[in-house]
Amino acid sequence: MGGPSGTCVPWREFERRIAFEDVPSAGAFMVFSRGRDMFEVARNFAHFFAHESCGFCTPCRVGTSLLANTMDKLAAGKGSAYDMQRMQTLMRVLLSMSHCGLGHTAAKPVVQTMAAFPDAYERRLKRLDFEPAFDLDAALATARHITGRDDDWAHIVSEEA
Amino acid sequence: MSGRTFTLDGQPVPFTEGETVMEAALAAGVYIPHLCYRPGYGHHGSCKVCTVAIDGHNAASCTTRAREGMAVETATPELADMRRALVEMLFVEGNHTCPACEKSGECELQAVAYHIGMAAPRFDFFFPARDLDASHPDVILDRNRCILCELCVRASRDVDGKNVFAIGGRGIRARLIVNAASGRLGDTDLAKDDAAVRVCPVGAILRKGDAYTKPVGQRTFDLRPIAAVAIEEARRERERRRG
Amino acid sequence: MAAPLETASDPERLRRVAIEPVTRVEGHGKVTLLLDEANRVRQARFHIVEFRGFEKFVQGRPYWEVPVMVQRLCGICPVSHHLAGGKAVDMLAGATALTPTAEKMRRLLHFGQILQSHALHFFHLSSPDLLFGFDAPVERRSVFAVAAEFPDIAKKGILLRKYGQEVIRVTAGKRVHGSLVVPGGVNKRLSPQERDYLLADIDRTVEWSAEAVAIARRLYEEGRARHNGFAAFPSPLLSLVRDDGALDLYHGGLRARGADGATLFDHEDYATYWELLHEVVKPWSYMKFPFLRALGPDAGWYRVGPLARLWNCDFVPTPRAEAERRALLDFEGGATRAATLAYHWARMIEMLHAAEGIRALLADPDLLQGELVVKGERRYRGVGVIEAPRGTLIHHYRINEDDQIVRCNLIVSTTHNNEAMNEAVRRVAERYLDGRELTEGLLNHIEVAIRAYDPCLSCATHALGQMPLAVELRDATGAAVDRLTRDADGGVRRG
Ligand code: SF4
Ligand code: SF4
Ligand code: FES
């Protein structure tokens, strides 16, 4: 909803409403079929923001590129739990320290897809040295905090563990 | 004394109309880490290292005007962590090898990193390919160490009246560029005593011939912590303006 | 004369024994022994991978940065690189003669480095072996065993090294990665307090250094037959000497003597060292092989370092070290000239010289006053040579109009000794390799031979008997028939 920095509504939440009170749209929305890999969508958006960053302030100039690079690392199957933690840090820095709205929201696609489609991320970690000790749900606390959510869908239940 | 105050971490800080939070804090003897701010060189606000929480919202203290009664926090664990992350970002963005750098001990980035207790950066290094411009007879520009603070841009434009520097490119590819058809420092009218040369907080703009002439132990930040140096610098600037 | 190393007529058919230090630290060595059908060792190859990419790394950097930057690239003797680089940079800056203060400050720093390096090598890395013998069980061959059985020696060793480090700290500002050298001079002189601080312990430093020489000498004498013969071979020698022929570790002209002791060249200006020394590249090694041009690539390899220096110079300019040098030279009709293990003895004599040299410098008022820097006409080529703890060290830079490095060549001490170490290993293997079986004894002996040259390899910074090595024995078809590994904790396992 509302472009790359908008709100990501997963299929489980399709009963929500497009309205100022619930999901504001700013007049634009994109629909991704279930066949789409939401990790790749988020990665694409991460590159979009890195490209759009004007470069004036440190958090956005460096943070958006670090985020895009980390997503690339995950995509290459080289990600680890540590990278997930680092992305949490990057999200906090972007949100709280950036100069303008672009930086504030640049991490949103990653934050939201991490929360809504944890499997898409977890799958990539598992390929290489997945550390079971890493609690993905706990690591998502920041993501929940940033998006202001604490509903069931914002938590990961590790069924497979 | 106008008697106007705000609080900084609970302590009252007096200010005069028009002053920024940073200026008032420094005048009151409180150091807020900063890199792109320098007393006398205007208000810029790009590094974000000076970010504080004002009534619960983050803002750069060097560009935010002080207002009566505002509650400013700077020494919170969250802000401390964010500042460390920012300084780490500046380190990984360029190519910094402090032990070999002639600015070591005189460098504000390094001194701020010590001040805020930065250890090794938690982010991956970019190892960017950046140029060194040694074409000027008296000055060297090493973009490997530039943190894009634009102090030299402001100094050259506002103090020297020359406009030698600008920032070119966007995002992570932003670079300091030189205003000459060739793009080389040697083809500008930059002089070695220009404010633009002296103002660089890091080892990006350096005078030739000065390298390593100050022995270890006698360099600026060997002798005094950056907080004391910055407070002193702000005091001198206030006196200069008062005339 | 030693059989040339590369003489095996058909190296392809030789069996190979690879001895490989297993180390996670960058910079490792590996030894390959090539055997003939009769299981005789015909070739030895000590592979060294160091200084990779340095020449590239400094390209484009302003030249005055290099003496400081080079310190980062070698953690083993950073001060030597700082000084050799500094001398090259003096030449670039057109500074032909330094002020007395600058030269003496640099000499002081250099003596400090010699003292700490030689003390470290002798007491920490080699003394267990020398005191207990290199056939002693591995548990005994450690610094801890030395500390337990010879507490006095161990304590003095630590304090000697510490004194050297303090000299470095006071002159260069820090124990590591300090800086003293600037183009054409130095950045500081000593304060009277700093001078007094160093003076406080200098007498005891000289005494203990003299005791260390006595220990090294006694140990050598006690095992004379073995020490004279172990990995012993005559070779040409290279070092700097002062104008009057004296030992000078900081500055001088190049002198080389042949294997027979005859002078090959003398007082040559090192600024054109390439007219005297050439380097060849061999396909199996990253390291270059320098040789004396006058003798050619096959016979022209030589030795550098403490033993070469003491045999090369006419005298040591400090009295006690000179007396000790005479004893070294006169021992059993000059047997030490060829003896690899005499390096340890020579190293201690140099340590004594450094201690005496520091004492003399500290009495010199020039350290406290006087100009620091001289300036001159900028030049495009700079060469700096010093005698580092391990031997002659050459730095050579070329710069462009804008003061940026365009080319850099280094010949480090370990490179000069490259072929000598191969020969030492070959001698040892020839003597101690028994058939097709690799033994811990052989491994230890090879290590002892390499160690005597104090190579600047990260694997060599482990204490003796703890250099991580993997030994592999291959037959003529290339199949491994035996493998012996020693880990960094000293434990040896087969396979
Ligand atoms: S500019 Fe500062 S931070 Fe960068 S290498 Fe030099 S001393 Fe270190
Ligand atoms: S050269 Fe120095 S002053 Fe100019 S933008 Fe870069 S870091 Fe700032
Ligand atoms: S000092 Fe305030 S943003 Fe840089």
Side-chain angles (χ1 to χ4, degrees):
Chain A
M1 280 300 154
S5 59
T7 310
C8 168
V9 183
W11 55 270
R12 288 162 297 211
E13 300 174 17
F14 278 177
E15 76 284 359
R16 292 176 70 180
R17 280 164 193 270
I18 300 179
F20 185 73
E21 294 78 9
D22 190 0
V23 191
S25 80
F29 61 86
M30 283 177 253
V31 180
F32 299 97
S33 83
R34 273 195 219 182
R36 293 292 292 275
D37 182 343
M38 290 310 286
F39 171 84
E40 282 301 330
V41 171
R43 181 158 82 100
N44 193 21
F45 284 159
H47 279 280
F48 166 78
F49 283 112
H51 187 260
E52 288 305 309
S53 172
C54 82
F56 172 77
C57 73
T58 311
C60 177
R61 183 180 71 238
V62 187
T64 52
S65 278
L66 283 172
L67 196 61
N69 290 351
T70 312
M71 290 296 276
D72 286 351
K73 193 174 165 192
L74 257 65
K78 294 191 180 126
S80 67
Y82 183 58
D83 290 306
M84 296 293 281
Q85 278 166 358
R86 272 200 306 206
M87 290 210 289
Q88 306 287 338
T89 309
L90 287 171
M91 292 167 196
R92 284 193 295 137
V93 178
L94 279 162
L95 184 80
S96 63
M97 310 297 266
S98 294
H99 191 71
C100 77
L102 185 124
H104 292 148
T105 55
K108 266 183 107 178
V110 175
V111 177
Q112 300 190 34
T113 51
M114 238 189 206
F117 306 97
D119 294 356
Y121 287 80
E122 222 177 286
R123 195 166 62 235
R124 282 165 168 97
L125 297 186
K126 274 182 180 167
R127 287 200 196 138
L128 193 97
D129 294 327
F130 179 65
E131 300 168 44
F134 173 63
D135 184 351
L136 195 53
D137 187 50
L140 283 171
T142 336
R144 284 192 293 270
H145 176 69
I146 291 174
T147 52
R149 295 177 47 167
D150 199 18
D151 53 295
D152 282 350
W153 296 114
H155 284 275
I156 297 166
V157 188
S158 2
E159 298 131 305
E160 307 149 83
Chain B
M1 267 288 157
S2 63
R4 298 158 73 81
T5 60
F6 63 90
T7 62
L8 184 56
D9 289 329
Q11 299 298 312
V13 171
F15 68 95
T16 51
E17 196 55 45
E19 258 185 341
T20 61
V21 172
M22 172 74 77
E23 285 161 344
L26 287 172
V30 180
Y31 172 68
I32 300 171
H34 55 272
L35 285 168
C36 71
Y37 171 69
R38 169 83 47 106
Y41 289 88
H43 307 288
H44 184 64
S46 72
C47 76
K48 302 298 176 199
V49 169
C50 71
T51 301
V52 292
I54 297 175
D55 296 329
H57 291 283
N58 284 356
S61 61
C62 71
T63 52
T64 307
R65 290 235 159 89
R67 274 176 286 107
E68 175 68 35
M70 58 175 23
V72 181
E73 290 177 297
T74 177
T76 71
E78 172 70 9
L79 281 171
D81 190 43
M82 291 295 96
R83 272 187 200 132
R84 268 196 296 274
L86 285 179
V87 174
E88 289 169 21
M89 283 180 175
L90 290 170
F91 270 97
V92 300
E93 185 191 19
N95 297 306
H96 297 266
T97 43
C98 296
C101 177
E102 58 177 281
K103 192 75 174 185
S104 188
E106 304 277 339
C107 170
E108 291 180 27
L109 178 62
Q110 187 189 46
V112 166
Y114 277 124
H115 178 84
I116 64 180
M118 189 193 108
R122 69 195 97 167
F123 307 115
D124 292 335
F125 285 89
F126 283 87
F127 296 120
R130 292 193 183 177
D131 305 327
L132 184 146
D133 181 345
S135 59
H136 194 285
D138 304 313
V139 179
I140 224 162
L141 167 60
D142 188 350
R143 292 186 176 87
N144 288 291
R145 304 173 186 142
C146 172
I147 57 170
L148 301 165
C149 69
E150 293 191 46
L151 273 166
C152 58
V153 178
R154 290 176 264 160
S156 186
R157 184 188 60 214
D158 305 337
V159 182
D160 305 328
K162 291 185 180 176
N163 259 322
V164 170
F165 298 106
I167 302 286
R170 296 165 49 78
I172 198 72
R173 278 177 300 277
R175 295 285 185 276
L176 187 70
I177 54 171
V178 169
N179 187 9
S182 64
R184 283 157 57 90
L185 212 50
D187 297 326
T188 67
D189 54 354
L190 185 78
K192 70 165 187 273
D193 294 320
D194 283 356
V197 176
R198 280 179 278 120
V199 81
C200 182
V202 294
I205 301 180
L206 295 160
R207 280 160 55 134
K208 290 186 180 180
D210 284 354
Y212 313 108
T213 46
K214 265 200 217 173
V216 178
Q218 292 169 34
R219 297 173 182 169
T220 304
F221 300 119
D222 294 341
L223 300 173
R224 287 194 309 161
I226 188 163
V229 174
I231 290 166
E232 162 73 16
E233 188 178 39
R235 190 183 59 73
R236 266 188 279 115
E237 173 61 18
R238 283 195 305 278
E239 281 167 9
R240 193 186 64 81
R241 257 183 300 167
R242 273 190 226 117
Chain C
M1 183 63 207
L5 294 173
E6 301 282 346
T7 52
S9 51
D10 188 2
E12 287 318 301
R13 292 181 52 237
L14 301 177
R15 288 193 299 126
R16 284 160 188 245
V17 184
I19 301 173
E20 194 166 353
V22 193
T23 165
R24 271 160 289 128
V25 202
E26 201 193 359
H28 62 280
K30 174 178 129 179
V31 176
T32 309
L33 303 174
L34 303 180
L35 312 180
D36 63 15
E37 287 88 344
N39 289 339
R40 281 190 311 256
V41 182
R42 292 299 303 272
Q43 282 190 32
R45 295 173 171 182
F46 183 28
H47 307 257
I48 301 168
V49 191
E50 297 279 326
F51 288 102
R52 277 178 302 179
F54 174 77
E55 283 83 352
K56 185 99 191 84
F57 194 78
V58 295
Q59 257 174 32
R61 301 306 309 173
Y63 71 80
W64 48 85
E65 211 178 63
V66 178
V68 180
M69 192 141 77
V70 283
Q71 301 189 85
R72 277 181 56 71
L73 291 150
C74 174
I76 296 178
C77 57
V79 170
S80 306
H81 288 288
H82 185 54
L83 288 166
K87 288 177 79 178
V89 158
D90 292 342
M91 206 182 267
L92 292 171
T96 36
L98 299 186
T99 67
T101 304
E103 177 163 338
K104 285 169 188 172
M105 283 296 291
R106 289 190 188 183
R107 282 179 180 275
L108 181 62
L109 173 63
H110 191 33
F111 277 140
Q113 163 82 346
I114 295 274
L115 186 65
Q116 83 86 18
S117 176
H118 283 0
L120 172 74
H121 184 267
F122 186 74
F123 291 100
H124 189 83
L125 301 176
S126 292
S127 75
D129 206 64
L130 300 167
L131 290 168
F132 299 125
F134 37 74
D135 295 325
V138 84
E139 316 81 72
R140 285 194 79 205
R141 294 188 340 212
S142 77
V143 261
F144 305 108
V146 174
E149 290 190 42
F150 305 92
D152 188 51
I153 292 179
K155 186 181 130 228
K156 287 174 180 170
I158 290 166
L159 290 174
L160 278 170
R161 173 163 189 236
K162 177 141 185 289
Y163 185 81
Q165 289 174 319
E166 284 301 287
V167 172
I168 294 170
R169 190 184 60 75
V170 168
T171 46
K174 291 193 225 169
R175 277 187 185 186
V176 279
H177 301 322
S179 87
L180 172 71
V181 170
V182 295
V186 295
N187 61 21
K188 74 173 278 190
R189 41 182 93 75
L190 284 195
S191 69
Q193 294 76 13
E194 288 167 331
R195 194 249 340 251
D196 294 344
Y197 170 72
L198 293 178
L199 270 176
D201 288 334
I202 187 59
D203 287 336
R204 116 184 156 181
T205 300
V206 173
E207 289 320 310
W208 290 353
S209 299
E211 287 174 27
V213 181
I215 294 170
R217 176 179 175 176
R218 177 173 54 77
L219 291 171
Y220 191 93
E221 287 172 350
E222 280 170 2
R224 60 185 66 209
R226 174 175 211 179
H227 289 146
N228 281 342
F230 183 88
F233 50 90
S235 78
L237 309 172
L238 176 81
S239 70
L240 291 179
V241 292
R242 203 164 75 183
D243 285 350
D244 58 359
L247 175 78
D248 194 330
L249 301 170
Y250 176 73
H251 192 65
L254 287 167
R255 171 186 284 179
R257 293 190 197 270
D260 55 359
T263 304
L264 293 169
F265 53 77
D266 205 358
H267 302 305
E268 292 285 354
D269 183 359
Y270 62 65
T272 47
Y273 69 93
W274 54 85
E275 288 172 5
L276 306 164
L277 305 175
H278 277 196
E279 293 176 280
V280 282
V281 176
K282 297 192 181 180
W284 52 269
S285 178
Y286 289 95
M287 212 167 222
K288 290 182 212 156
F289 289 75
F291 61 89
L292 300 173
R293 194 177 170 188
L295 300 181
D298 292 329
W301 58 273
Y302 52 90
R303 282 194 269 214
V304 299
L307 187 69
R309 289 190 286 244
L310 294 186
W311 273 93
N312 228 11
C313 69
D314 300 328
F315 65 99
V316 178
T318 55
R320 295 175 70 172
E322 170 58 9
E324 297 293 346
R325 187 188 83 103
R326 292 273 25 129
L328 175 84
L329 266 57
D330 294 342
F331 183 74
E332 301 201 337
T336 58
R337 190 180 197 282
T340 288
L341 288 180
Y343 265 91
H344 295 294
W345 182 0
R347 199 167 280 125
M348 290 301 94
I349 296 173
E350 285 194 344
M351 185 168 82
L352 175 59
H353 168 59
E356 288 184 288
I358 291 170
R359 181 156 66 186
L361 278 172
L362 290 176
D364 193 323
D366 283 345
L367 285 181
L368 308 183
Q369 71 219 10
E371 286 302 308
L372 299 181
V373 180
V374 292
K375 294 204 188 305
E377 189 75 4
R378 207 261 317 256
R379 277 178 264 178
Y380 291 97
R381 195 183 67 212
V383 179
V385 179
I386 64 160
E387 286 294 333
R390 292 157 184 83
T392 316
L393 171 64
I394 301 176
H395 277 226
H396 177 189
Y397 315 132
R398 217 167 216 303
I399 58 171
N400 64 14
E401 285 286 332
D402 294 339
D403 304 321
Q404 293 167 282
I405 304 273
V406 291
R407 207 184 85 89
C408 152
N409 188 38
L410 304 187
I411 309 180
V412 304
S413 324
T414 301
T415 304
H416 292 289
N417 276 334
N418 198 353
E419 199 66 69
M421 288 190 289
N422 287 331
E423 178 62 9
V425 170
R426 192 183 73 85
R427 296 282 176 146
V428 167
E430 195 176 53
R431 174 126 177 240
Y432 298 96
L433 179 69
D434 200 6
R436 293 159 65 91
E437 179 91 5
L438 291 171
T439 62
E440 197 184 340
L442 173 68
L443 196 145
N444 288 340
H445 284 96
I446 287 177
E447 187 187 335
V448 167
I450 293 173
R451 176 83 72 193
Y453 293 88
D454 193 11
C456 53
L457 308 172
S458 40
C459 62
T461 58
H462 291 262
L464 199 72
Q466 286 162 23
M467 190 194 269
L469 295 166
V471 187
E472 203 171 63
L473 184 62
R474 289 178 184 275
D475 65 17
T477 66
V481 291
D482 194 11
R483 190 182 161 87
L484 200 63
T485 306
R486 181 171 62 214
D487 300 317
D489 62 5
V492 177
R493 58 197 158 87
R494 200 160 286 277

